[in-house]
């Protein structure tokens, strides 16, 4: 009877150990890909005027004058998402070490989208903050730039049609 209890406890501990190995790592850079929209914004927003950016992204949350090299406009977005948190209690069975852990799926975060303006036009777009999802880099910044990417593509199509 004693050996049966030990086997049951060992089986439970092995199951918990397997489940705890499914935890998403903090650094997902090796498996995550850069979000397509935020990557496109880095290229396609370059050249938009200040008025264009205000039309597609709204007014910036903050601005910083960088002297002769222009201004930096910052768009701050905080994303609250419904979280699913699963916590497993820490358990130790005899000589087997303690196992346990937690998983947090679809966390919230924040994104600071910085738009560098030089001569009244976009020169560069960058992102900062806790803006990654487990499988996508800069994904929480999409809501700031998606309309600008569409706007820039629309303007590009119009310019191409006019030049034909």
């Amino acid at each position: 009877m004693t050996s049966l209890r030990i086997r049951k406890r060992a089986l439970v501990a092995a199951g918990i150990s397997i489940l705890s190995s499914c935890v998403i790592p903090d650094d997902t850079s090796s498996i995550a890909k850069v979000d397509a929209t935020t990557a496109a914004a880095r290229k396609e927003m370059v050249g938009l005027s200040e008025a264009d950016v205000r039309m597609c992204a709204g007014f910036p949350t903050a601005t910083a004058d960088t002297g002769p090299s222009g201004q930096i406009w910052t768009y701050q977005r905080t994303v609250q998402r419904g979280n699913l948190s699963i916590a497993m209690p820490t358990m130790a069975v005899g000589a087997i070490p303690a196992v346990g852990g937690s998983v947090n799926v679809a966390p919230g975060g924040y994104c600071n989208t910085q738009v560098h303006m030089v001569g009244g036009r976009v020169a560069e777009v960058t992102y900062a903050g806790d803006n990654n999802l487990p499988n996508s880099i800069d994904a929480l910044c999409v809501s700031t730039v998606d309309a600008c990417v569409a706007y820039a593509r629309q303007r590009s199509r119009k310019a191409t049609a006019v030049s034909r």
Side-chain angles (χ1 to χ4, degrees):
M1 179 104 165
T2 306
S3 66
L4 181 60
R5 282 186 182 171
I6 292 172
R7 280 191 229 149
K8 284 183 181 179
R9 288 182 180 176
L11 184 60
V12 169
I16 290 171
S17 177
I18 290 169
L19 285 175
S20 67
S21 69
C22 296
V23 174
I24 298 171
D26 289 335
D27 179 16
T28 59
S29 60
S30 62
I31 58 173
K33 303 296 180 227
V34 175
D35 181 83
T37 303
T38 56
R42 289 179 190 264
K43 296 176 186 171
E44 296 183 37
M45 285 180 64
V46 171
L48 291 179
S49 70
E50 290 180 359
D52 292 337
V53 175
R54 285 189 187 106
M55 288 296 295
C56 63
F59 288 88
T61 310
T63 59
D65 189 11
T66 57
S69 64
Q71 288 186 325
I72 297 175
W73 292 7
T74 301
Y75 292 86
Q76 298 172 335
R77 299 284 192 262
T78 300
V79 180
Q80 300 293 330
R81 298 195 185 266
N83 289 343
L84 170 63
S85 294
I86 302 170
M88 296 182 58
T90 302
M91 296 176 55
V93 180
I96 298 174
V99 292
S102 65
V103 177
N104 192 3
V105 181
Y110 69 95
C111 174
N112 291 333
T113 301
Q114 278 100 231
V115 180
H116 187 192
M117 296 288 189
V118 177
R121 299 217 170 261
V122 175
E124 182 182 15
V125 177
T126 61
Y127 311 101
D130 182 11
N131 54 16
N132 298 336
L133 290 178
N135 61 350
S136 186
I137 297 171
D138 296 332
L140 297 183
C141 302
V142 170
S143 64
T144 305
V145 296
D146 58 349
C148 288
V149 170
Y151 185 81
R153 288 176 179 169
Q154 180 183 9
R155 288 185 59 121
S156 177
R157 280 193 296 267
K158 285 181 182 178
T160 303
V162 169
S163 67
R164 287 183 186 186

